Amino acid sequence: MTSPSSPLTSTSSVGAWLDHPVGGPILRDLLAQSGQSAEVLRPVRKLAISRLVTLSKGQFPAELIDELIRRVEAGETPSTTAAFADGAATEGVRSADAVDRPGTAATTASIDRPEWAERIDGGRFSGKTVIVTGAGSGIGRATASRVAREGGRVIAVDISQDRLDDLAATHSGADIVAVVADITDDAAIASIVEAAGERVDALANVAGIMDDMTPIGEVSDAVWSRVFRINVDGTMKLMRAVIPGMLENAAGSIVNVASEAALRGSAAGVAYTASKHAVVGLTKSSAFMYGPSGIRVNAVAPGPTITNIEATFASPLGAERVRTGMAVMPEAAESEALAASITFLLSDDGVNVNGVVLASDGGWSAA
Ligand SMILES: NC(=O)c1ccc[n+]([C@@H]2O[C@H](COP(=O)([O-])OP(=O)(O)OC[C@H]3O[C@@H](n4cnc5c(N)ncnc54)[C@H](O)[C@@H]3O)[C@@H](O)[C@H]2O)c1
């Protein structure tokens, strides 16, 4: 951990930068000059500042971090010279449910907590075939990776060939079968089940998209149907496809990824909120129907998580209301923290759990 007087580097956390007596004012000054407050960085306080380079998709370049370090080393006090290229400097660091919001919690935000690290159980998925959708990025990728590193055979599904290639390249020696498929397409669903082969032990329905934060009075048919096609129809189609095999085996575990927006009305627009409530309905109905047949069906509701998911704000009313609802949103989690919750339910460790919606959100839903 970096104490306020330690030298700042590119591996110091965003929180350490903000709390530093010299670095904090310089970073705040840069943000202010591009019309942003330090609040925009709150979801990523725990991350090394160098992570912003990739997360901001080029809007927070490595040169800017070098410049920040140079200014801190020189002991500069904030100048009025703008260093950000435009007003959207940190936009890319926001993920699905992670947007800036009013208010600060300096008393708790500055607490140094020990970092969590994955603890791999080498054999938890040995001999198991697990389908993971959205495996090319974010939560799906972290889930696929964890299952593979814990001995499972992963059927990794995504629409992006490049992302799946990257997953395979970074897990050499792991048993990963990449299937490029759009989960809204029936032929693609059949190809996923075929790639899995005779036995599917578990399914993680992770692929999903965000909406544009529009309320019901403004939502377009295009946004509504695209969000429902992927988040609901795709999830339903793959569940339906694996159920017959699981019934034959009298065993199976399905985990659907919902959202904080499945638990309340204040986390997204109407399309995403309704779609994630529908995911809960799919989960509970199936858990009730198939529990006695040996199949467990659960959902995980992530809070803000650092991934590549994109949210837009197409409605001033939606933006105002959703930001209000996020006043007590916790720091964003890394995808691996979500994979820990998902793999718990996917694995036999979840043996006695069926039909739950597990909020994996740092306590946001308790607020
Ligand atoms: N990131 C968050 O803060 C957050 C919060 C709550 C819920 N979620 C949910 O978590 C899930 C994963 O999201 P993420 O944040 O990891 O997003 P992400 O965008 O990083 O990853 C999603 C992956 O799904 C793939 N995908 C999209 N449409 C697909 C389709 N039709 N067929 C196959 N693959 C498809 C994408 O190519 C991408 O690789 C989603 O269901 C999302 O709603 C995310």
Side-chain angles (χ1 to χ4, degrees):
M1 301 272 164
T2 311
S3 79
S5 54
S6 306
L8 291 171
T9 67
S10 61
T11 58
S12 305
S13 70
V14 170
W17 271 87
L18 288 171
D19 298 340
H20 194 274
V22 181
I26 292 174
L27 184 52
R28 278 190 183 76
D29 179 55
L30 290 178
L31 291 167
Q33 286 167 30
S34 60
Q36 310 236 27
S37 81
E39 188 61 14
V40 75
L41 293 178
R42 186 167 160 210
V44 292
R45 273 185 67 92
K46 281 187 286 191
L47 302 186
I49 198 164
S50 57
R51 293 280 304 279
L52 298 183
V53 175
T54 5
L55 290 172
S56 69
K57 300 186 175 121
Q59 295 181 70
F60 199 112
E63 297 73 39
L64 190 54
I65 293 174
D66 294 342
E67 174 70 7
L68 280 169
I69 292 169
R70 190 196 59 70
R71 289 179 62 186
V72 169
E73 283 171 358
E76 272 183 33
T77 48
S79 75
T80 52
T81 317
F84 282 118
D86 57 46
T90 55
E91 193 133 302
V93 304
R94 299 172 211 184
S95 59
D97 300 347
V99 293
D100 54 329
R101 63 224 168 272
T104 57
T107 50
T108 51
S110 56
I111 292 172
D112 273 349
R113 283 166 295 168
E115 289 295 319
W116 169 83
E118 277 183 327
R119 188 175 305 189
I120 298 298
D121 171 348
R124 194 161 57 143
F125 288 100
S126 293
K128 308 263 192 201
T129 293
V130 182
I131 299 173
V132 182
T133 70
S137 172
I139 299 168
R141 183 183 164 118
T143 302
S145 169
R146 178 114 188 214
V147 171
R149 285 177 293 131
E150 295 193 345
R153 173 173 174 258
V154 178
I155 311 303
V157 178
D158 206 287
I159 35 170
S160 165
Q161 171 91 60
D162 289 351
R163 287 178 171 182
L164 289 177
D165 287 349
D166 190 65
L167 174 75
T170 50
H171 291 77
S172 60
D175 195 353
I176 296 179
V177 179
V179 182
V180 180
D182 180 341
I183 54 164
T184 66
D185 179 71
D186 288 312
I189 295 286
S191 74
I192 297 166
V193 177
E194 195 187 324
E198 282 192 356
R199 187 181 172 105
V200 175
D201 296 284
L203 161 66
N205 265 317
V206 190
I209 57 164
M210 223 342 191
D211 67 6
D212 59 356
M213 306 287 182
T214 43
I216 187 68
E218 300 171 45
V219 69
S220 68
D221 282 351
V223 166
W224 180 269
S225 55
R226 185 168 144 68
V227 168
F228 265 73
R229 263 204 329 274
I230 297 173
N231 294 3
V232 185
D233 297 3
T235 298
M236 178 280 288
K237 283 175 188 287
L238 201 46
M239 290 174 75
R240 186 173 62 187
V242 300
I243 285 290
M246 289 183 172
L247 283 174
E248 254 174 52
N249 301 330
S253 174
I254 298 176
V255 177
N256 296 323
V257 172
S259 167
E260 195 74 18
L263 309 175
R264 59 169 96 213
S266 56
V270 69
Y272 187 78
T273 303
S275 77
K276 292 300 187 177
H277 276 69
V279 168
V280 171
L282 281 167
T283 304
K284 289 193 175 175
S285 169
S286 311
F288 179 74
M289 294 286 185
Y290 297 113
S293 308
I295 302 172
R296 295 184 297 105
V297 187
N298 293 291
V300 167
T305 313
I306 299 157
T307 69
N308 290 310
I309 205 163
E310 283 177 14
T312 53
F313 284 85
S315 158
L317 174 64
E320 179 198 305
R321 296 300 297 151
V322 169
R323 285 182 172 138
T324 304
M326 290 180 175
V328 289
M329 188 171 79
E331 285 175 16
E334 298 270 19
S335 295
E336 289 73 15
L338 271 302
S341 301
I342 293 167
T343 52
F344 159 64
L345 291 171
L346 272 184
S347 78
D348 290 343
D349 285 346
V351 58
N352 200 32
V353 187
N354 189 27
V356 306
V357 183
L358 174 64
S360 181
D361 63 357
W364 192 16
S365 50

